[in-house]
Amino acid sequence: MIDLDAERRRTPGCTNQVFLDSAGSSLPTTETTEAVISHLRREAEVGGYRAAEERAEDLAALPASLAALLGCEAGEIALTDSATRAWTQLVGSLRLGPGDRVLICGNEYASNAIALLQRARLDGCSVEAVPSRPGGQVDLDALAGMLDEKVRLVSLVQVPTGSGQVAPVAAAARLAREAGALVLLDACQSVGQLAVDVRALGVDALTATGRKWLRGPRGTGFLYVRRELLAGLEPRGADLRAGTWTAPDDYELRADAGRFEQWEADLAGRLGLKVAVEHLLALGPATVEAAVRANATALRDGLATLPRVTVHDLGPDLSGIVTFTLDGTTPEEVKARLREAGVTVSVSTVSSTLLDLTERGLDAVVRASPHYFVSPADLERAVAAVAAL
Ligand SMILES: *Cc1c(COP(=O)(O)O)cnc(C)c1O
């Protein structure tokens, strides 16, 4: 059980508003904010290098904390400045040429799709979308039918940015790996709200961000890569963190996932992320998942009773993302008017998930994403505020 009062006390941002945007950029705990600010202060006192030396142990421990969260080894984690950077670093390390096929699903995120289409444009591989079932989930039979030895990469998104659905990752990953394809999972909207275990899911690589459900600082993200794959992957833009200049005409990449990292980084942000991840580990990812799912279900049920509201989350397995529209009012207007009423939500548009929203005939939806620190009273206030529109 989560001690809701204690969690709310250490989350000052949740007291003066109903905060329903953890899928966008969540609220940190006081301890996380303090870790960031105190490091910035120390950098100002002694310079960034000495400040980093003083915190070397904590900085080195962040990959181990993330590994504990994901069920992998510290050497399989690369720290980045965003989920997108992690994703493009991994995809950029794959050789994809004419004849090579890449599969994406209907819930693909725009930045990933753009990066892949750019590879298609520059390098001549093909990018194909696997059809979805009526609820928006990937059609596993269609995926099985599309897989062949030319498919090099299958890109899966566990929880999309603009819908509550949870993708059947383990089943899709099994099909893809049996066909010899690499499986890359975008877990940006799932890590921190759902318990995620890379071995149980059977994915080769995974990306996520700090600022969303992990409640970490902005400008932080990470990449998991299965150890057996590392030696065969050549990251673009490798620097002296990723490798060593060993001879006038040679260099050697790090053996671990650090080959995907860059030397310069926001170390204050990383120290904050470490505090956030350790707090999640202390609460227990499964406990957090249960609390988030319960909050989202209560919110969906409350919204569904309102006459002009349509809840848009479909499928057998729903996460902490609740999406809806209000007849006669645009999602942007709903967001603005809810803000006046002290309720923070965001809007997810077709430009973020082109395939899924187009297929469902939607341009945009209001997205409400209640984390575990949202109280039952908050949820009632949110539903009442929507009702008052
Ligand atoms: C937010 C998001 C991303 C991108 O994360 P960044 O840290 O902004 O790069 C990727 N995929 C999904 C599904 C997202 O919601």
mmCIF file of all heavy atoms in Angstrom, residues 17-26 160-163 189 211-213 299 303 320-326 330-339 343-349 352 357 364-370 386:
data_model
loop_
_atom_site.group_PDB
_atom_site.id
_atom_site.type_symbol
_atom_site.label_atom_id
_atom_site.label_comp_id
_atom_site.label_asym_id
_atom_site.label_seq_id
_atom_site.Cartn_x
_atom_site.Cartn_y
_atom_site.Cartn_z
ATOM 1 N N GLN A 17 -3.401 22.045 -7.146
ATOM 2 C CA GLN A 17 -4.064 21.714 -8.409
ATOM 3 C C GLN A 17 -4.359 20.218 -8.410
ATOM 4 O O GLN A 17 -3.784 19.463 -7.628
ATOM 5 C CB GLN A 17 -3.138 22.030 -9.594
ATOM 6 C CG GLN A 17 -1.878 21.173 -9.570
ATOM 7 C CD GLN A 17 -0.934 21.376 -10.751
ATOM 8 O OE1 GLN A 17 -1.381 21.576 -11.862
ATOM 9 N NE2 GLN A 17 0.365 21.314 -10.487
ATOM 10 N N VAL A 18 -5.244 19.824 -9.312
ATOM 11 C CA VAL A 18 -5.417 18.403 -9.585
ATOM 12 C C VAL A 18 -4.503 18.108 -10.755
ATOM 13 O O VAL A 18 -4.741 18.568 -11.878
ATOM 14 C CB VAL A 18 -6.877 18.080 -9.942
ATOM 15 C CG1 VAL A 18 -7.013 16.606 -10.320
ATOM 16 C CG2 VAL A 18 -7.801 18.434 -8.782
ATOM 17 N N PHE A 19 -3.404 17.384 -10.498
ATOM 18 C CA PHE A 19 -2.383 17.224 -11.531
ATOM 19 C C PHE A 19 -2.576 15.896 -12.274
ATOM 20 O O PHE A 19 -2.362 14.822 -11.712
ATOM 21 C CB PHE A 19 -0.975 17.286 -10.926
ATOM 22 C CG PHE A 19 0.078 17.248 -12.005
ATOM 23 C CD1 PHE A 19 0.429 18.409 -12.684
ATOM 24 C CD2 PHE A 19 0.672 16.053 -12.379
ATOM 25 C CE1 PHE A 19 1.362 18.372 -13.727
ATOM 26 C CE2 PHE A 19 1.600 16.008 -13.408
ATOM 27 C CZ PHE A 19 1.950 17.170 -14.078
ATOM 28 N N LEU A 20 -2.971 16.016 -13.537
ATOM 29 C CA LEU A 20 -3.254 14.826 -14.351
ATOM 30 C C LEU A 20 -2.411 14.840 -15.625
ATOM 31 O O LEU A 20 -2.920 14.644 -16.725
ATOM 32 C CB LEU A 20 -4.754 14.769 -14.705
ATOM 33 C CG LEU A 20 -5.736 14.832 -13.521
ATOM 34 C CD1 LEU A 20 -7.176 14.791 -14.030
ATOM 35 C CD2 LEU A 20 -5.497 13.671 -12.551
ATOM 36 N N ASP A 21 -1.114 15.110 -15.479
ATOM 37 C CA ASP A 21 -0.260 15.128 -16.668
ATOM 38 C C ASP A 21 1.075 14.415 -16.444
ATOM 39 O O ASP A 21 2.123 14.897 -16.881
ATOM 40 C CB ASP A 21 -0.038 16.561 -17.167
ATOM 41 C CG ASP A 21 0.554 16.567 -18.580
ATOM 42 O OD1 ASP A 21 0.413 15.543 -19.290
ATOM 43 O OD2 ASP A 21 1.175 17.574 -18.961
ATOM 44 N N SER A 22 1.033 13.271 -15.815
ATOM 45 C CA SER A 22 2.277 12.517 -15.629
ATOM 46 C C SER A 22 2.733 11.855 -16.928
ATOM 47 O O SER A 22 3.893 11.450 -17.043
ATOM 48 C CB SER A 22 2.113 11.479 -14.512
ATOM 49 O OG SER A 22 2.079 12.161 -13.267
ATOM 50 N N ALA A 23 1.849 11.765 -17.921
ATOM 51 C CA ALA A 23 2.267 11.273 -19.245
ATOM 52 C C ALA A 23 2.993 12.363 -20.028
ATOM 53 O O ALA A 23 3.651 12.080 -21.028
ATOM 54 C CB ALA A 23 1.051 10.787 -20.030
ATOM 55 N N GLY A 24 2.861 13.610 -19.573
ATOM 56 C CA GLY A 24 3.545 14.715 -20.246
ATOM 57 C C GLY A 24 4.857 15.008 -19.548
ATOM 58 O O GLY A 24 5.946 14.764 -20.085
ATOM 59 N N SER A 25 4.764 15.512 -18.346
ATOM 60 C CA SER A 25 5.940 15.797 -17.535
ATOM 61 C C SER A 25 5.428 15.861 -16.106
ATOM 62 O O SER A 25 4.704 16.780 -15.750
ATOM 63 C CB SER A 25 6.564 17.120 -17.980
ATOM 64 O OG SER A 25 7.833 17.294 -17.399
ATOM 65 N N SER A 26 5.770 14.848 -15.317
ATOM 66 C CA SER A 26 5.151 14.678 -14.002
ATOM 67 C C SER A 26 5.706 15.638 -12.959
ATOM 68 O O SER A 26 6.582 16.456 -13.253
ATOM 69 C CB SER A 26 5.326 13.235 -13.539
ATOM 70 O OG SER A 26 4.530 12.969 -12.404
ATOM 71 N N PRO A 160 1.037 3.881 -25.851
ATOM 72 C CA PRO A 160 1.207 5.022 -26.743
ATOM 73 C C PRO A 160 0.951 6.340 -26.026
ATOM 74 O O PRO A 160 0.398 6.365 -24.927
ATOM 75 C CB PRO A 160 0.168 4.788 -27.828
ATOM 76 C CG PRO A 160 -0.876 3.947 -27.188
ATOM 77 C CD PRO A 160 -0.202 3.137 -26.118
ATOM 78 N N THR A 161 1.346 7.407 -26.685
ATOM 79 C CA THR A 161 1.234 8.711 -26.054
ATOM 80 C C THR A 161 -0.213 9.191 -25.985
ATOM 81 O O THR A 161 -0.556 9.960 -25.088
ATOM 82 C CB THR A 161 2.154 9.707 -26.807
ATOM 83 O OG1 THR A 161 2.571 10.712 -25.904
ATOM 84 C CG2 THR A 161 1.493 10.334 -28.006
ATOM 85 N N GLY A 162 -1.064 8.690 -26.890
ATOM 86 C CA GLY A 162 -2.411 9.252 -26.968
ATOM 87 C C GLY A 162 -3.537 8.264 -26.768
ATOM 88 O O GLY A 162 -4.625 8.430 -27.326
ATOM 89 N N SER A 163 -3.320 7.243 -25.950
ATOM 90 C CA SER A 163 -4.381 6.271 -25.693
ATOM 91 C C SER A 163 -4.014 5.429 -24.480
ATOM 92 O O SER A 163 -2.844 5.267 -24.153
ATOM 93 C CB SER A 163 -4.563 5.380 -26.933
ATOM 94 O OG SER A 163 -5.010 4.098 -26.573
ATOM 95 N N GLN A 189 6.103 5.638 -22.084
ATOM 96 C CA GLN A 189 4.876 5.860 -21.318
ATOM 97 C C GLN A 189 4.562 4.700 -20.376
ATOM 98 O O GLN A 189 3.515 4.709 -19.738
ATOM 99 C CB GLN A 189 3.677 6.072 -22.257
ATOM 100 C CG GLN A 189 3.680 7.367 -23.032
ATOM 101 C CD GLN A 189 3.511 8.609 -22.146
ATOM 102 O OE1 GLN A 189 3.418 8.517 -20.910
ATOM 103 N NE2 GLN A 189 3.479 9.770 -22.773
ATOM 104 N N ARG A 211 11.285 12.293 -17.319
ATOM 105 C CA ARG A 211 10.346 13.299 -16.807
ATOM 106 C C ARG A 211 8.900 12.844 -16.704
ATOM 107 O O ARG A 211 8.084 13.526 -16.108
ATOM 108 C CB ARG A 211 10.376 14.536 -17.702
ATOM 109 C CG ARG A 211 9.689 14.321 -19.041
ATOM 110 C CD ARG A 211 9.638 15.568 -19.906
ATOM 111 N NE ARG A 211 8.914 15.308 -21.124
ATOM 112 C CZ ARG A 211 9.412 14.694 -22.204
ATOM 113 N NH1 ARG A 211 10.673 14.312 -22.207
ATOM 114 N NH2 ARG A 211 8.657 14.475 -23.262
ATOM 115 N N LYS A 212 8.542 11.712 -17.327
ATOM 116 C CA LYS A 212 7.133 11.299 -17.350
ATOM 117 C C LYS A 212 6.797 10.512 -16.087
ATOM 118 O O LYS A 212 6.893 11.032 -15.000
ATOM 119 C CB LYS A 212 6.838 10.554 -18.648
ATOM 120 C CG LYS A 212 7.015 11.453 -19.887
ATOM 121 C CD LYS A 212 6.718 10.743 -21.196
ATOM 122 C CE LYS A 212 6.926 11.686 -22.381
ATOM 123 N NZ LYS A 212 6.751 10.995 -23.680
ATOM 124 N N TRP A 213 6.443 9.252 -16.227
ATOM 125 C CA TRP A 213 5.952 8.494 -15.070
ATOM 126 C C TRP A 213 7.033 8.233 -14.018
ATOM 127 O O TRP A 213 6.718 7.888 -12.886
ATOM 128 C CB TRP A 213 5.339 7.180 -15.541
ATOM 129 C CG TRP A 213 4.152 7.367 -16.419
ATOM 130 C CD1 TRP A 213 4.145 7.412 -17.779
ATOM 131 C CD2 TRP A 213 2.785 7.567 -16.007
ATOM 132 N NE1 TRP A 213 2.856 7.616 -18.240
ATOM 133 C CE2 TRP A 213 2.013 7.711 -17.178
ATOM 134 C CE3 TRP A 213 2.146 7.623 -14.766
ATOM 135 C CZ2 TRP A 213 0.632 7.912 -17.153
ATOM 136 C CZ3 TRP A 213 0.774 7.819 -14.729
ATOM 137 C CH2 TRP A 213 0.025 7.967 -15.911
ATOM 138 N N LEU A 299 -11.211 7.351 -12.875
ATOM 139 C CA LEU A 299 -11.407 8.559 -13.683
ATOM 140 C C LEU A 299 -12.216 8.238 -14.947
ATOM 141 O O LEU A 299 -13.162 8.959 -15.290
ATOM 142 C CB LEU A 299 -10.042 9.156 -14.058
ATOM 143 C CG LEU A 299 -10.079 10.462 -14.852
ATOM 144 C CD1 LEU A 299 -10.843 11.554 -14.098
ATOM 145 C CD2 LEU A 299 -8.655 10.936 -15.175
ATOM 146 N N LEU A 303 -15.819 9.844 -15.857
ATOM 147 C CA LEU A 303 -16.028 10.619 -17.091
ATOM 148 C C LEU A 303 -17.114 9.975 -17.961
ATOM 149 O O LEU A 303 -17.898 10.681 -18.606
ATOM 150 C CB LEU A 303 -14.719 10.720 -17.884
ATOM 151 C CG LEU A 303 -13.624 11.591 -17.256
ATOM 152 C CD1 LEU A 303 -12.300 11.411 -18.015
ATOM 153 C CD2 LEU A 303 -14.032 13.063 -17.245
ATOM 154 N N GLY A 320 -2.562 3.907 -17.251
ATOM 155 C CA GLY A 320 -2.870 5.138 -16.529
ATOM 156 C C GLY A 320 -3.193 6.326 -17.414
ATOM 157 O O GLY A 320 -3.357 7.435 -16.914
ATOM 158 N N ILE A 321 -3.256 6.129 -18.724
ATOM 159 C CA ILE A 321 -3.598 7.237 -19.624
ATOM 160 C C ILE A 321 -5.078 7.166 -19.969
ATOM 161 O O ILE A 321 -5.563 6.133 -20.437
ATOM 162 C CB ILE A 321 -2.715 7.197 -20.896
ATOM 163 C CG1 ILE A 321 -1.255 7.459 -20.505
ATOM 164 C CG2 ILE A 321 -3.207 8.213 -21.918
ATOM 165 C CD1 ILE A 321 -0.288 7.495 -21.673
ATOM 166 N N VAL A 322 -5.768 8.261 -19.696
ATOM 167 C CA VAL A 322 -7.214 8.349 -19.944
ATOM 168 C C VAL A 322 -7.420 9.402 -21.019
ATOM 169 O O VAL A 322 -6.947 10.537 -20.867
ATOM 170 C CB VAL A 322 -7.956 8.772 -18.648
ATOM 171 C CG1 VAL A 322 -9.440 8.951 -18.903
ATOM 172 C CG2 VAL A 322 -7.701 7.747 -17.539
ATOM 173 N N THR A 323 -8.092 9.034 -22.108
ATOM 174 C CA THR A 323 -8.306 10.023 -23.173
ATOM 175 C C THR A 323 -9.797 10.189 -23.427
ATOM 176 O O THR A 323 -10.569 9.232 -23.352
ATOM 177 C CB THR A 323 -7.607 9.597 -24.483
ATOM 178 O OG1 THR A 323 -8.108 8.330 -24.895
ATOM 179 C CG2 THR A 323 -6.097 9.529 -24.296
ATOM 180 N N PHE A 324 -10.177 11.435 -23.700
ATOM 181 C CA PHE A 324 -11.600 11.705 -23.929
ATOM 182 C C PHE A 324 -11.772 12.963 -24.765
ATOM 183 O O PHE A 324 -10.825 13.742 -24.947
ATOM 184 C CB PHE A 324 -12.360 11.831 -22.597
ATOM 185 C CG PHE A 324 -11.968 13.027 -21.748
ATOM 186 C CD1 PHE A 324 -12.709 14.210 -21.811
ATOM 187 C CD2 PHE A 324 -10.875 12.981 -20.898
ATOM 188 C CE1 PHE A 324 -12.364 15.316 -21.024
ATOM 189 C CE2 PHE A 324 -10.516 14.078 -20.118
ATOM 190 C CZ PHE A 324 -11.261 15.248 -20.179
ATOM 191 N N THR A 325 -12.975 13.124 -25.291
ATOM 192 C CA THR A 325 -13.356 14.370 -25.959
ATOM 193 C C THR A 325 -14.697 14.807 -25.384
ATOM 194 O O THR A 325 -15.438 14.001 -24.790
ATOM 195 C CB THR A 325 -13.495 14.191 -27.490
ATOM 196 O OG1 THR A 325 -14.298 13.040 -27.743
ATOM 197 C CG2 THR A 325 -12.138 14.019 -28.158
ATOM 198 N N LEU A 326 -14.975 16.094 -25.546
ATOM 199 C CA LEU A 326 -16.230 16.675 -25.057
ATOM 200 C C LEU A 326 -16.944 17.257 -26.269
ATOM 201 O O LEU A 326 -16.364 18.089 -26.992
ATOM 202 C CB LEU A 326 -15.895 17.781 -24.044
ATOM 203 C CG LEU A 326 -17.055 18.517 -23.384
ATOM 204 C CD1 LEU A 326 -17.821 17.585 -22.450
ATOM 205 C CD2 LEU A 326 -16.533 19.723 -22.593
ATOM 206 N N THR A 330 -13.354 21.933 -28.319
ATOM 207 C CA THR A 330 -12.110 21.310 -28.781
ATOM 208 C C THR A 330 -11.281 20.855 -27.578
ATOM 209 O O THR A 330 -11.388 21.439 -26.489
ATOM 210 C CB THR A 330 -11.252 22.296 -29.596
ATOM 211 O OG1 THR A 330 -10.829 23.350 -28.717
ATOM 212 C CG2 THR A 330 -12.002 22.874 -30.784
ATOM 213 N N PRO A 331 -10.438 19.855 -27.775
ATOM 214 C CA PRO A 331 -9.576 19.413 -26.674
ATOM 215 C C PRO A 331 -8.728 20.557 -26.102
ATOM 216 O O PRO A 331 -8.547 20.637 -24.884
ATOM 217 C CB PRO A 331 -8.718 18.322 -27.316
ATOM 218 C CG PRO A 331 -9.634 17.724 -28.343
ATOM 219 C CD PRO A 331 -10.377 18.907 -28.922
ATOM 220 N N GLU A 332 -8.223 21.453 -26.962
ATOM 221 C CA GLU A 332 -7.426 22.583 -26.465
ATOM 222 C C GLU A 332 -8.253 23.476 -25.547
ATOM 223 O O GLU A 332 -7.750 23.979 -24.532
ATOM 224 C CB GLU A 332 -6.880 23.424 -27.629
ATOM 225 C CG GLU A 332 -5.568 22.919 -28.213
ATOM 226 C CD GLU A 332 -4.398 22.856 -27.216
ATOM 227 O OE1 GLU A 332 -4.429 23.530 -26.166
ATOM 228 O OE2 GLU A 332 -3.461 22.081 -27.494
ATOM 229 N N GLU A 333 -9.516 23.677 -25.937
ATOM 230 C CA GLU A 333 -10.391 24.516 -25.107
ATOM 231 C C GLU A 333 -10.695 23.814 -23.772
ATOM 232 O O GLU A 333 -10.733 24.466 -22.722
ATOM 233 C CB GLU A 333 -11.689 24.729 -25.891
ATOM 234 C CG GLU A 333 -12.307 26.095 -25.744
ATOM 235 C CD GLU A 333 -13.554 26.182 -26.635
ATOM 236 O OE1 GLU A 333 -13.475 25.784 -27.828
ATOM 237 O OE2 GLU A 333 -14.591 26.635 -26.120
ATOM 238 N N VAL A 334 -10.903 22.513 -23.832
ATOM 239 C CA VAL A 334 -11.146 21.755 -22.594
ATOM 240 C C VAL A 334 -9.939 21.907 -21.671
ATOM 241 O O VAL A 334 -10.068 22.208 -20.478
ATOM 242 C CB VAL A 334 -11.393 20.252 -22.898
ATOM 243 C CG1 VAL A 334 -11.438 19.450 -21.603
ATOM 244 C CG2 VAL A 334 -12.681 20.078 -23.694
ATOM 245 N N LYS A 335 -8.744 21.753 -22.240
ATOM 246 C CA LYS A 335 -7.524 21.873 -21.435
ATOM 247 C C LYS A 335 -7.441 23.262 -20.796
ATOM 248 O O LYS A 335 -7.160 23.382 -19.597
ATOM 249 C CB LYS A 335 -6.310 21.627 -22.336
ATOM 250 C CG LYS A 335 -4.978 21.918 -21.682
ATOM 251 C CD LYS A 335 -3.826 21.713 -22.654
ATOM 252 C CE LYS A 335 -2.618 22.539 -22.220
ATOM 253 N NZ LYS A 335 -1.488 22.406 -23.130
ATOM 254 N N ALA A 336 -7.693 24.305 -21.583
ATOM 255 C CA ALA A 336 -7.582 25.682 -21.066
ATOM 256 C C ALA A 336 -8.613 25.944 -19.971
ATOM 257 O O ALA A 336 -8.303 26.534 -18.933
ATOM 258 C CB ALA A 336 -7.745 26.676 -22.212
ATOM 259 N N ARG A 337 -9.821 25.460 -20.193
ATOM 260 C CA ARG A 337 -10.863 25.733 -19.191
ATOM 261 C C ARG A 337 -10.668 24.900 -17.936
ATOM 262 O O ARG A 337 -10.952 25.351 -16.825
ATOM 263 C CB ARG A 337 -12.237 25.545 -19.816
ATOM 264 C CG ARG A 337 -12.513 26.696 -20.822
ATOM 265 C CD ARG A 337 -13.809 26.553 -21.565
ATOM 266 N NE ARG A 337 -14.954 26.497 -20.663
ATOM 267 C CZ ARG A 337 -16.158 26.084 -21.037
ATOM 268 N NH1 ARG A 337 -16.364 25.693 -22.284
ATOM 269 N NH2 ARG A 337 -17.152 26.063 -20.175
ATOM 270 N N LEU A 338 -10.133 23.689 -18.093
ATOM 271 C CA LEU A 338 -9.830 22.891 -16.902
ATOM 272 C C LEU A 338 -8.704 23.538 -16.109
ATOM 273 O O LEU A 338 -8.697 23.507 -14.874
ATOM 274 C CB LEU A 338 -9.473 21.452 -17.283
ATOM 275 C CG LEU A 338 -10.640 20.575 -17.730
ATOM 276 C CD1 LEU A 338 -10.144 19.185 -18.125
ATOM 277 C CD2 LEU A 338 -11.708 20.450 -16.638
ATOM 278 N N ARG A 339 -7.752 24.129 -16.811
ATOM 279 C CA ARG A 339 -6.666 24.794 -16.089
ATOM 280 C C ARG A 339 -7.217 25.918 -15.215
ATOM 281 O O ARG A 339 -6.800 26.079 -14.065
ATOM 282 C CB ARG A 339 -5.624 25.346 -17.057
ATOM 283 C CG ARG A 339 -4.487 26.054 -16.318
ATOM 284 C CD ARG A 339 -3.286 26.307 -17.172
ATOM 285 N NE ARG A 339 -2.716 25.073 -17.677
ATOM 286 C CZ ARG A 339 -1.689 25.018 -18.523
ATOM 287 N NH1 ARG A 339 -1.112 26.125 -18.931
ATOM 288 N NH2 ARG A 339 -1.228 23.864 -18.931
ATOM 289 N N VAL A 343 -7.368 22.157 -12.781
ATOM 290 C CA VAL A 343 -7.129 20.764 -13.185
ATOM 291 C C VAL A 343 -6.179 20.774 -14.381
ATOM 292 O O VAL A 343 -6.475 21.388 -15.404
ATOM 293 C CB VAL A 343 -8.452 20.059 -13.574
ATOM 294 C CG1 VAL A 343 -8.182 18.634 -14.050
ATOM 295 C CG2 VAL A 343 -9.421 20.060 -12.394
ATOM 296 N N THR A 344 -5.032 20.106 -14.241
ATOM 297 C CA THR A 344 -4.023 20.104 -15.309
ATOM 298 C C THR A 344 -4.106 18.821 -16.129
ATOM 299 O O THR A 344 -3.893 17.725 -15.608
ATOM 300 C CB THR A 344 -2.615 20.227 -14.696
ATOM 301 O OG1 THR A 344 -2.561 21.438 -13.935
ATOM 302 C CG2 THR A 344 -1.547 20.264 -15.781
ATOM 303 N N VAL A 345 -4.431 18.987 -17.413
ATOM 304 C CA VAL A 345 -4.421 17.859 -18.354
ATOM 305 C C VAL A 345 -3.630 18.308 -19.576
ATOM 306 O O VAL A 345 -3.196 19.456 -19.653
ATOM 307 C CB VAL A 345 -5.854 17.452 -18.785
ATOM 308 C CG1 VAL A 345 -6.668 16.952 -17.610
ATOM 309 C CG2 VAL A 345 -6.558 18.606 -19.499
ATOM 310 N N SER A 346 -3.442 17.415 -20.545
ATOM 311 C CA SER A 346 -2.804 17.852 -21.780
ATOM 312 C C SER A 346 -3.638 17.358 -22.959
ATOM 313 O O SER A 346 -4.679 16.721 -22.772
ATOM 314 C CB SER A 346 -1.367 17.353 -21.857
ATOM 315 O OG SER A 346 -1.361 15.951 -21.875
ATOM 316 N N VAL A 347 -3.163 17.680 -24.148
ATOM 317 C CA VAL A 347 -3.867 17.301 -25.368
ATOM 318 C C VAL A 347 -2.907 16.464 -26.198
ATOM 319 O O VAL A 347 -1.737 16.805 -26.334
ATOM 320 C CB VAL A 347 -4.287 18.558 -26.161
ATOM 321 C CG1 VAL A 347 -4.838 18.182 -27.530
ATOM 322 C CG2 VAL A 347 -5.316 19.353 -25.360
ATOM 323 N N SER A 348 -3.399 15.366 -26.726
ATOM 324 C CA SER A 348 -2.573 14.546 -27.608
ATOM 325 C C SER A 348 -3.172 14.638 -29.004
ATOM 326 O O SER A 348 -4.380 14.458 -29.179
ATOM 327 C CB SER A 348 -2.571 13.102 -27.102
ATOM 328 O OG SER A 348 -1.609 12.361 -27.804
ATOM 329 N N THR A 349 -2.338 14.940 -29.989
ATOM 330 C CA THR A 349 -2.862 15.209 -31.325
ATOM 331 C C THR A 349 -2.407 14.150 -32.328
ATOM 332 O O THR A 349 -1.494 13.364 -32.067
ATOM 333 C CB THR A 349 -2.382 16.585 -31.842
ATOM 334 O OG1 THR A 349 -0.968 16.508 -32.034
ATOM 335 C CG2 THR A 349 -2.710 17.698 -30.865
ATOM 336 N N SER A 352 1.242 13.371 -33.150
ATOM 337 C CA SER A 352 2.096 12.495 -32.328
ATOM 338 C C SER A 352 1.902 11.023 -32.663
ATOM 339 O O SER A 352 2.854 10.237 -32.596
ATOM 340 C CB SER A 352 1.793 12.679 -30.840
ATOM 341 O OG SER A 352 2.189 13.941 -30.409
ATOM 342 N N LEU A 357 -4.586 7.733 -34.476
ATOM 343 C CA LEU A 357 -5.679 8.716 -34.400
ATOM 344 C C LEU A 357 -6.384 8.860 -35.751
ATOM 345 O O LEU A 357 -7.603 9.024 -35.799
ATOM 346 C CB LEU A 357 -5.190 10.075 -33.880
ATOM 347 C CG LEU A 357 -4.899 10.193 -32.378
ATOM 348 C CD1 LEU A 357 -5.029 11.625 -31.876
ATOM 349 C CD2 LEU A 357 -5.724 9.289 -31.505
ATOM 350 N N ALA A 364 -7.516 15.021 -32.253
ATOM 351 C CA ALA A 364 -6.898 15.296 -30.949
ATOM 352 C C ALA A 364 -7.823 14.765 -29.859
ATOM 353 O O ALA A 364 -9.039 14.657 -30.064
ATOM 354 C CB ALA A 364 -6.706 16.800 -30.774
ATOM 355 N N VAL A 365 -7.230 14.425 -28.740
ATOM 356 C CA VAL A 365 -8.003 14.000 -27.561
ATOM 357 C C VAL A 365 -7.431 14.717 -26.333
ATOM 358 O O VAL A 365 -6.260 15.117 -26.331
ATOM 359 C CB VAL A 365 -7.918 12.468 -27.333
ATOM 360 C CG1 VAL A 365 -8.681 11.709 -28.404
ATOM 361 C CG2 VAL A 365 -6.461 11.996 -27.270
ATOM 362 N N VAL A 366 -8.269 14.882 -25.336
ATOM 363 C CA VAL A 366 -7.769 15.358 -24.046
ATOM 364 C C VAL A 366 -7.123 14.161 -23.361
ATOM 365 O O VAL A 366 -7.681 13.059 -23.383
ATOM 366 C CB VAL A 366 -8.909 15.896 -23.149
ATOM 367 C CG1 VAL A 366 -8.343 16.451 -21.843
ATOM 368 C CG2 VAL A 366 -9.719 16.954 -23.890
ATOM 369 N N ARG A 367 -5.926 14.374 -22.800
ATOM 370 C CA ARG A 367 -5.227 13.272 -22.140
ATOM 371 C C ARG A 367 -5.078 13.591 -20.659
ATOM 372 O O ARG A 367 -4.490 14.606 -20.282
ATOM 373 C CB ARG A 367 -3.848 13.075 -22.754
ATOM 374 C CG ARG A 367 -3.068 11.926 -22.118
ATOM 375 C CD ARG A 367 -1.705 11.761 -22.733
ATOM 376 N NE ARG A 367 -0.836 12.895 -22.405
ATOM 377 C CZ ARG A 367 0.380 13.061 -22.893
ATOM 378 N NH1 ARG A 367 0.867 12.193 -23.768
ATOM 379 N NH2 ARG A 367 1.115 14.097 -22.544
ATOM 380 N N ALA A 368 -5.629 12.720 -19.818
ATOM 381 C CA ALA A 368 -5.516 12.874 -18.361
ATOM 382 C C ALA A 368 -4.759 11.664 -17.843
ATOM 383 O O ALA A 368 -5.144 10.528 -18.112
ATOM 384 C CB ALA A 368 -6.902 12.943 -17.728
ATOM 385 N N SER A 369 -3.663 11.908 -17.131
ATOM 386 C CA SER A 369 -2.812 10.794 -16.707
ATOM 387 C C SER A 369 -2.516 10.909 -15.217
ATOM 388 O O SER A 369 -1.539 11.517 -14.807
ATOM 389 C CB SER A 369 -1.519 10.791 -17.535
ATOM 390 O OG SER A 369 -0.997 12.098 -17.708
ATOM 391 N N PRO A 370 -3.391 10.331 -14.391
ATOM 392 C CA PRO A 370 -3.241 10.422 -12.928
ATOM 393 C C PRO A 370 -2.190 9.450 -12.397
ATOM 394 O O PRO A 370 -2.295 8.244 -12.629
ATOM 395 C CB PRO A 370 -4.629 10.043 -12.412
ATOM 396 C CG PRO A 370 -5.227 9.185 -13.485
ATOM 397 C CD PRO A 370 -4.606 9.604 -14.795
ATOM 398 N N VAL A 386 -14.994 18.706 -15.371
ATOM 399 C CA VAL A 386 -15.389 18.387 -16.753
ATOM 400 C C VAL A 386 -16.906 18.526 -16.881
ATOM 401 O O VAL A 386 -17.425 19.089 -17.852
ATOM 402 C CB VAL A 386 -14.923 16.972 -17.170
ATOM 403 C CG1 VAL A 386 -15.433 16.623 -18.563
ATOM 404 C CG2 VAL A 386 -13.398 16.868 -17.120
#
